[in-house]
Amino acid sequence: MRKTTLKTIVVSVLFAACASGVFGVDAYVSELYRQIDIAFSDKSENTLNNILSKNSTDANYYLLENYTMKKIRRLLLDEDYEFAQKASIVVIDNDLDNTDAIEMYSAISSSLENQKERQREIERKKQEELEKLQVEREKKRVAVDKKYVSTTSASGDAVYTKERHETYTDNFWSFRFGLFNGDYVTESKNSYDSFRYGISGAFTYEYSFEQLTIGIDVDAEATLLPFTNDDKTILANISFVPKIGFGEFGRYCFIRAGFASIVKGENGSESVLSDTLYTPVLGFSWNQIQFGSVNFSGNLDYYIGHLATDNIKAAAGGGINFAIPIADMEKVQLNFNLGLKDILYIKDNGIENRASVILAIGAENVGK
């Protein structure tokens, strides 16, 4: 009985000693695991290196190393390649024989480079989208600047107040008187040319509705004095042409149709120039195209009346004018005008052309 009791006591003591040893190991390893968790949570490779380096000679170091590798693999699942790479370097520095850590470092480096490349591609696309958006915004800003008058607020921002074409009156008028018309008349079949002096006048009126602009152009010219090759003719022309424009574009560009008379008056002598042409006019005109303060206007016309004339196959005319401001009064602006004008006949045999350089003074209303 006593021997049995003694054996029981010895076995119990040995079991208790072993159990306390195992529990003691588990306790300090668990504490190190907790410190490794904190190092990974803080993403601190220095803290992780301190833990591993201090315990590198411990018999249970392999447990710490395995636990660290598990934490690194968890980072890979979360695609946190940067700290995973740093942590794998710490493991390799403390155990150069850890081939798993070396292979993992290589795989992490490749994954990290792929991730950075994807990030660069995302940033590149984002930058392209921002640039496209900036271009669109700039286009819209330019369009708004063209259409509206802006002022600068106290904060430095642009405030758009009214449309640029907005005026207190819905009508526009202008006239000009040509003090000098230098006309150069040619007729190719008979090799005829003549330089002459003349005067001219022009009047334009336009009235704008919300989506419609109507108006009229009146133009007249008379050649008074031939400087060369006087054939005893007096040349003149007059046109009366209504016009219409549609929408915003129609404030500046018009379709026009009317009537013109291109006159040749003779004083009892033979002339190679064409007789008077009375003709309907169909054409296109533009006005109030601004180049800085200069107003650019003009027209291109087709003279339908040539169809009723035997020796003229086609007839057309056109002109341009630059109105340069010289004085701005309360409601009227005075201009100096420089213009070019041309009337062209394509005849059965040859071409007849009447070209003019025009110097004029004029005036137009301003919307005030």
Side-chain angles (χ1 to χ4, degrees), residues 348-365:
D348 291 337
N349 296 296
I351 293 175
E352 181 179 327
N353 193 67
R354 306 180 186 181
S356 303
V357 176
I358 304 170
L359 303 178
I361 58 171
E364 64 182 56
N365 73 322

Side-chain angles (χ1 to χ4, degrees), residues 24 44 57 67 143 166 192 234 285 289 294 310 321 341:
S44 172
T57 59
Y67 187 73
E166 181 183 50
Y192 175 79
I234 296 176
S285 69
I289 307 297
V294 178
D310 293 335
N321 182 75
K341 187 177 180 182

Side-chain angles (χ1 to χ4, degrees), residues 233-282:
T233 60
I234 296 176
L235 303 180
N237 61 76
I238 184 170
S239 63
F240 183 88
V241 189
K243 60 185 180 180
I244 186 169
F246 301 96
E248 181 67 25
F249 186 71
R251 293 179 181 271
Y252 312 101
C253 297
F254 307 88
I255 298 170
R256 64 187 219 149
F259 186 82
S261 176
I262 304 169
V263 177
K264 184 192 79 169
E266 291 191 72
N267 189 18
S269 66
E270 291 293 330
S271 174
V272 298
L273 302 180
S274 298
D275 293 332
T276 298
L277 176 66
Y278 301 100
T279 177
V281 174
L282 181 62

Side-chain angles (χ1 to χ4, degrees), residues 34-325:
R34 188 184 68 81
Q35 293 178 20
I36 291 173
D37 289 339
I38 293 173
F40 273 83
S41 177
D42 294 341
K43 297 186 184 302
S44 172
E45 64 267 31
N46 291 331
T47 302
L48 179 62
N49 183 62
N50 289 335
I51 296 169
L52 295 182
S53 61
K54 286 180 180 179
N55 296 277
S56 61
T57 59
D58 193 281
N60 292 309
Y61 178 76
Y62 73 96
L63 295 176
L64 304 181
E65 196 172 47
N66 290 340
Y67 187 73
T68 302
M69 295 294 288
K70 289 180 182 179
K71 299 290 289 186
I72 292 173
R73 293 187 186 96
R74 172 60 62 181
L75 291 178
L76 297 182
L77 294 176
D78 296 336
E79 296 187 350
D80 187 354
Y81 299 121
E82 288 193 10
F83 188 69
Q85 185 182 51
K86 294 176 181 178
S88 64
I89 292 174
V90 171
V91 174
I92 294 170
D93 286 343
N94 286 278
D95 183 5
L96 296 176
D97 296 328
N98 192 328
T99 57
D100 289 342
I102 294 173
E103 292 176 357
M104 184 174 290
Y105 172 79
S106 178
I108 292 171
S109 297
S110 178
S111 298
L112 181 60
E113 183 59 33
N114 291 336
Q115 185 186 58
K116 289 181 178 180
E117 181 62 30
R118 291 196 301 271
Q119 188 63 35
R120 285 192 291 267
E121 183 66 18
I122 292 172
E123 291 297 325
R124 184 184 65 80
K125 290 182 178 179
K126 184 184 296 184
Q127 186 63 31
E128 288 179 354
E129 292 298 323
L130 288 175
E131 290 176 357
K132 289 181 181 178
L133 181 61
Q134 185 63 30
V135 169
E136 292 299 321
R137 287 178 176 173
E138 183 64 17
K139 287 181 179 178
K140 291 180 180 179
R141 187 193 65 78
V142 171
V144 171
D145 285 345
K146 287 182 178 178
K147 187 174 181 181
Y148 295 92
V149 176
S150 65
T151 58
T152 303
S153 65
S155 61
D157 298 326
V159 178
Y160 296 96
T161 56
K162 63 179 181 179
E163 292 189 50
R164 287 190 180 275
H165 64 251
E166 181 183 50
T167 61
Y168 291 95
T169 59
D170 295 317
N171 62 81
F172 170 83
W173 57 260
S174 69
F175 73 87
R176 59 182 180 269
F177 176 67
L179 298 172
F180 173 83
N181 278 44
D183 298 344
Y184 185 62
V185 183
T186 61
E187 206 278 341
S188 63
K189 178 185 176 183
N190 298 278
S191 300
Y192 175 79
D193 64 81
S194 176
F195 184 70
R196 311 183 182 198
Y197 165 78
I199 59 174
S200 63
F203 175 76
T204 293
Y205 179 81
E206 298 166 5
Y207 190 91
S208 296
F209 300 92
E210 185 174 352
Q211 292 296 322
L212 181 70
T213 301
I214 58 175
I216 189 170
D217 295 324
V218 179
D219 197 355
E221 179 186 1
T223 302
L224 304 177
L225 179 63
F227 292 114
T228 63
N229 296 331
D230 183 8
D231 63 352
K232 307 303 181 182
T233 60
I234 296 176
L235 303 180
N237 61 76
I238 184 170
S239 63
F240 183 88
V241 189
K243 60 185 180 180
I244 186 169
F246 301 96
E248 181 67 25
F249 186 71
R251 293 179 181 271
Y252 312 101
C253 297
F254 307 88
I255 298 170
R256 64 187 219 149
F259 186 82
S261 176
I262 304 169
V263 177
K264 184 192 79 169
E266 291 191 72
N267 189 18
S269 66
E270 291 293 330
S271 174
V272 298
L273 302 180
S274 298
D275 293 332
T276 298
L277 176 66
Y278 301 100
T279 177
V281 174
L282 181 62
F284 172 78
S285 69
W286 61 92
N287 191 21
Q288 301 189 67
I289 307 297
Q290 298 293 323
F291 293 97
S293 61
V294 178
N295 178 18
F296 175 53
S297 60
N299 66 280
L300 292 172
D301 296 319
Y302 172 58
Y303 298 142
I304 304 173
H306 79 88
L307 297 173
T309 304
D310 293 335
N311 66 331
I312 301 179
K313 292 183 177 180
I320 59 174
N321 182 75
F322 295 91
I324 305 168

